[in-house]
Amino acid sequence: MIELNNSFKNLNKNYLFVEIENRRKNCRRNDIINLGVGDTVRPLFRSAYFGYRQGAKGQGNVKTYKGYPPDFGYDFFIDSVVDRYSRLGVKMEGEEITVNDGAKTDLFLMMPLFKGVTALIHNPSYPAYLDQNLAFANEVRFISANRENNFLPLPDEIDDDLKGKSLLIYICSPDNPTGATYTFDDLKKWVDYAIKTQSVIVFDGAYVDYVRGNYPKSIFQIKGAENVAIEICSLSKGANFTNLRLGFTAIKKQFMLKGVSVLNTFKRLKSIQANGVSFANQLAGAMAISEEGEKEIFKNTNYYLQNAQIIARALKGLGVYYTGGVNSPYIFASCPKGLNSFDTFDILLNDYGIVVTPGSGFNFGGENYIRLTGFTQQKSAYRSIKRLKSFYEKYS
Ligand code: PLP
């Protein structure tokens, strides 16, 4: 008899953001400010909207109608991604890119791609890494990202019994939830470690559009990464594509495991799992990540960064410890003494009308923190200041 995969018993009943949404729905207030789920709130910018509209219009005409898209992406989109990499000083070939409908889908594909995995996951981190590995019954080990290491753990902090073992190493930089961003030198340490131990790095670039200053925007800017890394990118947070759904994955041709091409295996897997992404989405995306579009990405991400800064300044004024908000739209802030993450979440929601994300939702390393997001309207960021002030003054 067929049974359900019992690995799901090891997962929390609800995915974190479903749990938050359920609690929000149960709150009767009608003045809620949402600084919780990291969802974009601004419309598509002009070039992307124009691309999307043009692409959609074509579907309404027999002469321009398109059926199934190519499995790995339309040439114009792939070219646009290759150009974007070349502006970062990375030489990428079109066949090394595959399109996806958002980063989460390809993160998930890491599960059937590999076998015998021990995943190394930052604690705290984006919850899908842990959930996906648990669902596939992989061994999961954590590496602590904490105040002492500036939320940027390095390979020498890996548990002794794991040292030398080949691992599936998750790196998200800038990070969700902490906003911590690796320097070139520190990312090189991870790449060197992966080379030495025949590990694989899954580099999650969901927030690279928020990088300001001299930090890597792609792991392929680091020498040696071409032999150990898979980079998964998204247009969700930089170009407001959370609804449209679009991203891409880059794997270099030379990346082999036991003599087998990782790229070819991934492509074979993708062609089993997906049937491509719509023409309209890819046209919108190609416009968004073009050289012109990138200026709009910059303006768009600045808006969210400014919101994060409005919140950060308020916390600073209150003497509350926080990190993030510089290369990232997220602020990771301490809870008042004596309140854990979910206590703080519930009080902020019910008594102050602010939705945040409990830090412990990003695993136990996030306990006693909350994540606040700049993904909101500017007036809401300003409105939140007074409420945060009353809350922290009352509970500190
Ligand atoms: N990776 C990280 C770190 C994220 O925070 C998110 C979304 O919040 C994703 C991936 C998923 O992004 P997408 O919308 O492209 O699926």
PDB file of all heavy atoms in Angstrom, residues 356-386:
ATOM      1  N   VAL A 356       5.358  41.315  12.444  1.00  0.00           N
ATOM      2  CA  VAL A 356       6.787  41.103  12.176  1.00  0.00           C
ATOM      3  C   VAL A 356       6.953  39.603  11.914  1.00  0.00           C
ATOM      4  O   VAL A 356       5.974  38.866  11.861  1.00  0.00           O
ATOM      5  CB  VAL A 356       7.660  41.542  13.372  1.00  0.00           C
ATOM      6  CG1 VAL A 356       7.532  43.029  13.630  1.00  0.00           C
ATOM      7  CG2 VAL A 356       7.345  40.734  14.635  1.00  0.00           C
ATOM      8  N   THR A 357       8.167  39.154  11.744  1.00  0.00           N
ATOM      9  CA  THR A 357       8.399  37.711  11.657  1.00  0.00           C
ATOM     10  C   THR A 357       9.202  37.278  12.878  1.00  0.00           C
ATOM     11  O   THR A 357      10.246  37.877  13.162  1.00  0.00           O
ATOM     12  CB  THR A 357       9.178  37.350  10.368  1.00  0.00           C
ATOM     13  OG1 THR A 357       8.504  37.935   9.260  1.00  0.00           O
ATOM     14  CG2 THR A 357       9.226  35.849  10.171  1.00  0.00           C
ATOM     15  N   PRO A 358       8.710  36.278  13.611  1.00  0.00           N
ATOM     16  CA  PRO A 358       9.470  35.812  14.781  1.00  0.00           C
ATOM     17  C   PRO A 358      10.806  35.221  14.331  1.00  0.00           C
ATOM     18  O   PRO A 358      10.834  34.378  13.429  1.00  0.00           O
ATOM     19  CB  PRO A 358       8.579  34.718  15.375  1.00  0.00           C
ATOM     20  CG  PRO A 358       7.288  34.759  14.628  1.00  0.00           C
ATOM     21  CD  PRO A 358       7.497  35.499  13.364  1.00  0.00           C
ATOM     22  N   GLY A 359      11.878  35.648  14.956  1.00  0.00           N
ATOM     23  CA  GLY A 359      13.200  35.156  14.572  1.00  0.00           C
ATOM     24  C   GLY A 359      13.327  33.649  14.679  1.00  0.00           C
ATOM     25  O   GLY A 359      14.022  33.003  13.881  1.00  0.00           O
ATOM     26  N   SER A 360      12.617  33.056  15.661  1.00  0.00           N
ATOM     27  CA  SER A 360      12.741  31.604  15.848  1.00  0.00           C
ATOM     28  C   SER A 360      12.117  30.839  14.686  1.00  0.00           C
ATOM     29  O   SER A 360      12.365  29.646  14.518  1.00  0.00           O
ATOM     30  CB  SER A 360      12.102  31.176  17.166  1.00  0.00           C
ATOM     31  OG  SER A 360      10.752  31.584  17.178  1.00  0.00           O
ATOM     32  N   GLY A 361      11.319  31.509  13.860  1.00  0.00           N
ATOM     33  CA  GLY A 361      10.788  30.884  12.649  1.00  0.00           C
ATOM     34  C   GLY A 361      11.893  30.584  11.649  1.00  0.00           C
ATOM     35  O   GLY A 361      11.703  29.810  10.704  1.00  0.00           O
ATOM     36  N   PHE A 362      13.052  31.203  11.853  1.00  0.00           N
ATOM     37  CA  PHE A 362      14.196  30.943  10.974  1.00  0.00           C
ATOM     38  C   PHE A 362      15.134  29.924  11.625  1.00  0.00           C
ATOM     39  O   PHE A 362      16.293  29.845  11.295  1.00  0.00           O
ATOM     40  CB  PHE A 362      14.954  32.245  10.680  1.00  0.00           C
ATOM     41  CG  PHE A 362      14.098  33.275   9.984  1.00  0.00           C
ATOM     42  CD1 PHE A 362      13.440  34.257  10.710  1.00  0.00           C
ATOM     43  CD2 PHE A 362      13.942  33.237   8.613  1.00  0.00           C
ATOM     44  CE1 PHE A 362      12.636  35.193  10.071  1.00  0.00           C
ATOM     45  CE2 PHE A 362      13.141  34.161   7.963  1.00  0.00           C
ATOM     46  CZ  PHE A 362      12.484  35.148   8.710  1.00  0.00           C
ATOM     47  N   ASN A 363      14.587  29.209  12.559  1.00  0.00           N
ATOM     48  CA  ASN A 363      15.251  28.168  13.344  1.00  0.00           C
ATOM     49  C   ASN A 363      15.698  28.715  14.704  1.00  0.00           C
ATOM     50  O   ASN A 363      15.693  29.920  14.923  1.00  0.00           O
ATOM     51  CB  ASN A 363      16.410  27.540  12.591  1.00  0.00           C
ATOM     52  CG  ASN A 363      16.560  26.080  12.974  1.00  0.00           C
ATOM     53  OD1 ASN A 363      16.035  25.655  14.001  1.00  0.00           O
ATOM     54  ND2 ASN A 363      17.248  25.327  12.170  1.00  0.00           N
ATOM     55  N   PHE A 364      16.130  27.789  15.583  1.00  0.00           N
ATOM     56  CA  PHE A 364      16.327  28.204  16.989  1.00  0.00           C
ATOM     57  C   PHE A 364      17.412  29.259  17.151  1.00  0.00           C
ATOM     58  O   PHE A 364      17.419  30.004  18.124  1.00  0.00           O
ATOM     59  CB  PHE A 364      16.562  26.988  17.892  1.00  0.00           C
ATOM     60  CG  PHE A 364      17.771  26.156  17.541  1.00  0.00           C
ATOM     61  CD1 PHE A 364      19.018  26.473  18.054  1.00  0.00           C
ATOM     62  CD2 PHE A 364      17.649  25.052  16.697  1.00  0.00           C
ATOM     63  CE1 PHE A 364      20.134  25.696  17.740  1.00  0.00           C
ATOM     64  CE2 PHE A 364      18.754  24.273  16.372  1.00  0.00           C
ATOM     65  CZ  PHE A 364      20.004  24.598  16.891  1.00  0.00           C
ATOM     66  N   GLY A 365      18.306  29.362  16.189  1.00  0.00           N
ATOM     67  CA  GLY A 365      19.334  30.410  16.267  1.00  0.00           C
ATOM     68  C   GLY A 365      18.737  31.815  16.196  1.00  0.00           C
ATOM     69  O   GLY A 365      19.408  32.793  16.512  1.00  0.00           O
ATOM     70  N   GLY A 366      17.494  31.911  15.751  1.00  0.00           N
ATOM     71  CA  GLY A 366      16.850  33.230  15.637  1.00  0.00           C
ATOM     72  C   GLY A 366      15.990  33.560  16.844  1.00  0.00           C
ATOM     73  O   GLY A 366      15.326  34.604  16.877  1.00  0.00           O
ATOM     74  N   GLU A 367      15.995  32.661  17.852  1.00  0.00           N
ATOM     75  CA  GLU A 367      15.192  32.906  19.057  1.00  0.00           C
ATOM     76  C   GLU A 367      15.630  34.215  19.719  1.00  0.00           C
ATOM     77  O   GLU A 367      16.817  34.578  19.681  1.00  0.00           O
ATOM     78  CB  GLU A 367      15.348  31.717  20.024  1.00  0.00           C
ATOM     79  CG  GLU A 367      14.475  31.803  21.256  1.00  0.00           C
ATOM     80  CD  GLU A 367      12.984  31.992  20.954  1.00  0.00           C
ATOM     81  OE1 GLU A 367      12.565  33.137  20.662  1.00  0.00           O
ATOM     82  OE2 GLU A 367      12.242  31.001  21.027  1.00  0.00           O
ATOM     83  N   ASN A 368      14.649  34.927  20.264  1.00  0.00           N
ATOM     84  CA  ASN A 368      14.856  36.227  20.921  1.00  0.00           C
ATOM     85  C   ASN A 368      15.157  37.352  19.937  1.00  0.00           C
ATOM     86  O   ASN A 368      15.663  38.408  20.327  1.00  0.00           O
ATOM     87  CB  ASN A 368      15.930  36.162  22.003  1.00  0.00           C
ATOM     88  CG  ASN A 368      15.548  35.166  23.075  1.00  0.00           C
ATOM     89  OD1 ASN A 368      14.362  35.018  23.390  1.00  0.00           O
ATOM     90  ND2 ASN A 368      16.522  34.468  23.626  1.00  0.00           N
ATOM     91  N   TYR A 369      14.869  37.111  18.664  1.00  0.00           N
ATOM     92  CA  TYR A 369      14.944  38.180  17.657  1.00  0.00           C
ATOM     93  C   TYR A 369      13.612  38.251  16.918  1.00  0.00           C
ATOM     94  O   TYR A 369      12.844  37.285  16.896  1.00  0.00           O
ATOM     95  CB  TYR A 369      16.031  37.886  16.612  1.00  0.00           C
ATOM     96  CG  TYR A 369      17.444  38.079  17.104  1.00  0.00           C
ATOM     97  CD1 TYR A 369      18.164  37.003  17.619  1.00  0.00           C
ATOM     98  CD2 TYR A 369      18.062  39.325  17.038  1.00  0.00           C
ATOM     99  CE1 TYR A 369      19.471  37.169  18.065  1.00  0.00           C
ATOM    100  CE2 TYR A 369      19.368  39.500  17.476  1.00  0.00           C
ATOM    101  CZ  TYR A 369      20.069  38.427  17.991  1.00  0.00           C
ATOM    102  OH  TYR A 369      21.357  38.598  18.428  1.00  0.00           O
ATOM    103  N   ILE A 370      13.386  39.400  16.293  1.00  0.00           N
ATOM    104  CA  ILE A 370      12.294  39.511  15.311  1.00  0.00           C
ATOM    105  C   ILE A 370      12.888  40.073  14.028  1.00  0.00           C
ATOM    106  O   ILE A 370      13.896  40.791  14.066  1.00  0.00           O
ATOM    107  CB  ILE A 370      11.152  40.449  15.785  1.00  0.00           C
ATOM    108  CG1 ILE A 370      11.712  41.794  16.298  1.00  0.00           C
ATOM    109  CG2 ILE A 370      10.272  39.765  16.797  1.00  0.00           C
ATOM    110  CD1 ILE A 370      10.655  42.858  16.515  1.00  0.00           C
ATOM    111  N   ARG A 371      12.261  39.727  12.909  1.00  0.00           N
ATOM    112  CA  ARG A 371      12.679  40.328  11.638  1.00  0.00           C
ATOM    113  C   ARG A 371      11.635  41.343  11.199  1.00  0.00           C
ATOM    114  O   ARG A 371      10.436  41.036  11.182  1.00  0.00           O
ATOM    115  CB  ARG A 371      12.835  39.246  10.552  1.00  0.00           C
ATOM    116  CG  ARG A 371      13.507  39.780   9.300  1.00  0.00           C
ATOM    117  CD  ARG A 371      13.326  38.849   8.114  1.00  0.00           C
ATOM    118  NE  ARG A 371      11.949  38.866   7.623  1.00  0.00           N
ATOM    119  CZ  ARG A 371      11.511  38.184   6.565  1.00  0.00           C
ATOM    120  NH1 ARG A 371      12.347  37.410   5.891  1.00  0.00           N
ATOM    121  NH2 ARG A 371      10.245  38.250   6.183  1.00  0.00           N
ATOM    122  N   LEU A 372      12.102  42.541  10.881  1.00  0.00           N
ATOM    123  CA  LEU A 372      11.207  43.585  10.370  1.00  0.00           C
ATOM    124  C   LEU A 372      11.635  43.868   8.927  1.00  0.00           C
ATOM    125  O   LEU A 372      12.823  43.875   8.628  1.00  0.00           O
ATOM    126  CB  LEU A 372      11.350  44.858  11.199  1.00  0.00           C
ATOM    127  CG  LEU A 372      11.075  44.700  12.697  1.00  0.00           C
ATOM    128  CD1 LEU A 372      12.299  45.092  13.498  1.00  0.00           C
ATOM    129  CD2 LEU A 372       9.886  45.522  13.097  1.00  0.00           C
ATOM    130  N   THR A 373      10.651  44.103   8.069  1.00  0.00           N
ATOM    131  CA  THR A 373      11.045  44.285   6.673  1.00  0.00           C
ATOM    132  C   THR A 373      10.752  45.684   6.140  1.00  0.00           C
ATOM    133  O   THR A 373       9.784  46.334   6.545  1.00  0.00           O
ATOM    134  CB  THR A 373      10.400  43.220   5.739  1.00  0.00           C
ATOM    135  OG1 THR A 373       9.973  43.849   4.542  1.00  0.00           O
ATOM    136  CG2 THR A 373       9.238  42.536   6.357  1.00  0.00           C
ATOM    137  N   GLY A 374      11.613  46.107   5.231  1.00  0.00           N
ATOM    138  CA  GLY A 374      11.424  47.373   4.517  1.00  0.00           C
ATOM    139  C   GLY A 374      10.460  47.229   3.350  1.00  0.00           C
ATOM    140  O   GLY A 374      10.166  48.207   2.655  1.00  0.00           O
ATOM    141  N   PHE A 375       9.942  45.997   3.136  1.00  0.00           N
ATOM    142  CA  PHE A 375       8.979  45.784   2.051  1.00  0.00           C
ATOM    143  C   PHE A 375       7.612  46.301   2.492  1.00  0.00           C
ATOM    144  O   PHE A 375       6.708  45.529   2.836  1.00  0.00           O
ATOM    145  CB  PHE A 375       8.872  44.299   1.706  1.00  0.00           C
ATOM    146  CG  PHE A 375      10.071  43.750   0.992  1.00  0.00           C
ATOM    147  CD1 PHE A 375      10.797  42.700   1.531  1.00  0.00           C
ATOM    148  CD2 PHE A 375      10.473  44.266  -0.228  1.00  0.00           C
ATOM    149  CE1 PHE A 375      11.900  42.175   0.871  1.00  0.00           C
ATOM    150  CE2 PHE A 375      11.576  43.751  -0.897  1.00  0.00           C
ATOM    151  CZ  PHE A 375      12.293  42.706  -0.347  1.00  0.00           C
ATOM    152  N   THR A 376       7.479  47.600   2.488  1.00  0.00           N
ATOM    153  CA  THR A 376       6.221  48.219   2.896  1.00  0.00           C
ATOM    154  C   THR A 376       6.173  49.607   2.254  1.00  0.00           C
ATOM    155  O   THR A 376       7.148  50.044   1.649  1.00  0.00           O
ATOM    156  CB  THR A 376       6.140  48.282   4.445  1.00  0.00           C
ATOM    157  OG1 THR A 376       4.845  48.717   4.827  1.00  0.00           O
ATOM    158  CG2 THR A 376       7.176  49.216   5.046  1.00  0.00           C
ATOM    159  N   GLN A 377       5.036  50.282   2.362  1.00  0.00           N
ATOM    160  CA  GLN A 377       4.977  51.655   1.858  1.00  0.00           C
ATOM    161  C   GLN A 377       5.726  52.547   2.848  1.00  0.00           C
ATOM    162  O   GLN A 377       5.721  52.298   4.051  1.00  0.00           O
ATOM    163  CB  GLN A 377       3.520  52.130   1.738  1.00  0.00           C
ATOM    164  CG  GLN A 377       2.663  51.282   0.803  1.00  0.00           C
ATOM    165  CD  GLN A 377       3.131  51.329  -0.645  1.00  0.00           C
ATOM    166  OE1 GLN A 377       3.882  52.221  -1.053  1.00  0.00           O
ATOM    167  NE2 GLN A 377       2.721  50.345  -1.431  1.00  0.00           N
ATOM    168  N   GLN A 378       6.325  53.618   2.312  1.00  0.00           N
ATOM    169  CA  GLN A 378       7.138  54.466   3.187  1.00  0.00           C
ATOM    170  C   GLN A 378       6.327  55.023   4.364  1.00  0.00           C
ATOM    171  O   GLN A 378       6.816  55.083   5.495  1.00  0.00           O
ATOM    172  CB  GLN A 378       7.760  55.606   2.377  1.00  0.00           C
ATOM    173  CG  GLN A 378       8.917  56.224   3.112  1.00  0.00           C
ATOM    174  CD  GLN A 378       9.640  57.217   2.232  1.00  0.00           C
ATOM    175  OE1 GLN A 378       9.209  58.355   2.121  1.00  0.00           O
ATOM    176  NE2 GLN A 378      10.714  56.781   1.605  1.00  0.00           N
ATOM    177  N   LYS A 379       5.081  55.380   4.084  1.00  0.00           N
ATOM    178  CA  LYS A 379       4.277  55.957   5.177  1.00  0.00           C
ATOM    179  C   LYS A 379       4.047  54.910   6.283  1.00  0.00           C
ATOM    180  O   LYS A 379       3.967  55.261   7.455  1.00  0.00           O
ATOM    181  CB  LYS A 379       2.983  56.590   4.674  1.00  0.00           C
ATOM    182  CG  LYS A 379       2.011  55.683   3.987  1.00  0.00           C
ATOM    183  CD  LYS A 379       0.739  56.487   3.682  1.00  0.00           C
ATOM    184  CE  LYS A 379      -0.402  55.671   3.153  1.00  0.00           C
ATOM    185  NZ  LYS A 379      -0.204  54.820   2.004  1.00  0.00           N
ATOM    186  N   SER A 380       3.972  53.651   5.905  1.00  0.00           N
ATOM    187  CA  SER A 380       3.799  52.613   6.929  1.00  0.00           C
ATOM    188  C   SER A 380       5.073  52.472   7.762  1.00  0.00           C
ATOM    189  O   SER A 380       5.008  52.244   8.979  1.00  0.00           O
ATOM    190  CB  SER A 380       3.479  51.258   6.300  1.00  0.00           C
ATOM    191  OG  SER A 380       2.323  51.360   5.529  1.00  0.00           O
ATOM    192  N   ALA A 381       6.219  52.592   7.089  1.00  0.00           N
ATOM    193  CA  ALA A 381       7.480  52.515   7.839  1.00  0.00           C
ATOM    194  C   ALA A 381       7.505  53.643   8.863  1.00  0.00           C
ATOM    195  O   ALA A 381       7.829  53.428  10.043  1.00  0.00           O
ATOM    196  CB  ALA A 381       8.673  52.607   6.889  1.00  0.00           C
ATOM    197  N   TYR A 382       7.114  54.857   8.436  1.00  0.00           N
ATOM    198  CA  TYR A 382       7.094  55.980   9.388  1.00  0.00           C
ATOM    199  C   TYR A 382       6.066  55.749  10.495  1.00  0.00           C
ATOM    200  O   TYR A 382       6.330  56.011  11.664  1.00  0.00           O
ATOM    201  CB  TYR A 382       6.795  57.297   8.647  1.00  0.00           C
ATOM    202  CG  TYR A 382       8.041  57.899   8.029  1.00  0.00           C
ATOM    203  CD1 TYR A 382       8.144  58.067   6.646  1.00  0.00           C
ATOM    204  CD2 TYR A 382       9.122  58.294   8.822  1.00  0.00           C
ATOM    205  CE1 TYR A 382       9.297  58.610   6.073  1.00  0.00           C
ATOM    206  CE2 TYR A 382      10.270  58.837   8.258  1.00  0.00           C
ATOM    207  CZ  TYR A 382      10.352  58.996   6.887  1.00  0.00           C
ATOM    208  OH  TYR A 382      11.480  59.524   6.337  1.00  0.00           O
ATOM    209  N   ARG A 383       4.887  55.244  10.093  1.00  0.00           N
ATOM    210  CA  ARG A 383       3.835  55.020  11.105  1.00  0.00           C
ATOM    211  C   ARG A 383       4.260  53.996  12.155  1.00  0.00           C
ATOM    212  O   ARG A 383       3.818  54.038  13.300  1.00  0.00           O
ATOM    213  CB  ARG A 383       2.547  54.529  10.424  1.00  0.00           C
ATOM    214  CG  ARG A 383       1.635  55.695   9.992  1.00  0.00           C
ATOM    215  CD  ARG A 383       0.417  55.190   9.246  1.00  0.00           C
ATOM    216  NE  ARG A 383      -0.402  54.274  10.015  1.00  0.00           N
ATOM    217  CZ  ARG A 383      -0.984  53.184   9.511  1.00  0.00           C
ATOM    218  NH1 ARG A 383      -0.832  52.851   8.256  1.00  0.00           N
ATOM    219  NH2 ARG A 383      -1.738  52.423  10.277  1.00  0.00           N
ATOM    220  N   SER A 384       5.114  53.071  11.739  1.00  0.00           N
ATOM    221  CA  SER A 384       5.494  52.002  12.678  1.00  0.00           C
ATOM    222  C   SER A 384       6.382  52.524  13.808  1.00  0.00           C
ATOM    223  O   SER A 384       6.436  51.927  14.889  1.00  0.00           O
ATOM    224  CB  SER A 384       6.222  50.871  11.938  1.00  0.00           C
ATOM    225  OG  SER A 384       7.517  51.279  11.550  1.00  0.00           O
ATOM    226  N   ILE A 385       7.050  53.667  13.583  1.00  0.00           N
ATOM    227  CA  ILE A 385       8.042  54.142  14.566  1.00  0.00           C
ATOM    228  C   ILE A 385       7.411  54.361  15.939  1.00  0.00           C
ATOM    229  O   ILE A 385       7.920  53.901  16.961  1.00  0.00           O
ATOM    230  CB  ILE A 385       8.681  55.464  14.084  1.00  0.00           C
ATOM    231  CG1 ILE A 385       9.507  55.205  12.834  1.00  0.00           C
ATOM    232  CG2 ILE A 385       9.546  56.095  15.165  1.00  0.00           C
ATOM    233  CD1 ILE A 385      10.124  56.450  12.248  1.00  0.00           C
ATOM    234  N   LYS A 386       6.265  55.082  15.934  1.00  0.00           N
ATOM    235  CA  LYS A 386       5.632  55.412  17.208  1.00  0.00           C
ATOM    236  C   LYS A 386       5.233  54.137  17.963  1.00  0.00           C
ATOM    237  O   LYS A 386       5.423  54.014  19.172  1.00  0.00           O
ATOM    238  CB  LYS A 386       4.377  56.254  16.922  1.00  0.00           C
ATOM    239  CG  LYS A 386       4.139  57.333  17.948  1.00  0.00           C
ATOM    240  CD  LYS A 386       3.119  58.316  17.459  1.00  0.00           C
ATOM    241  CE  LYS A 386       2.009  58.376  18.495  1.00  0.00           C
ATOM    242  NZ  LYS A 386       0.816  59.045  17.984  1.00  0.00           N
TER     243      LYS A 386
END
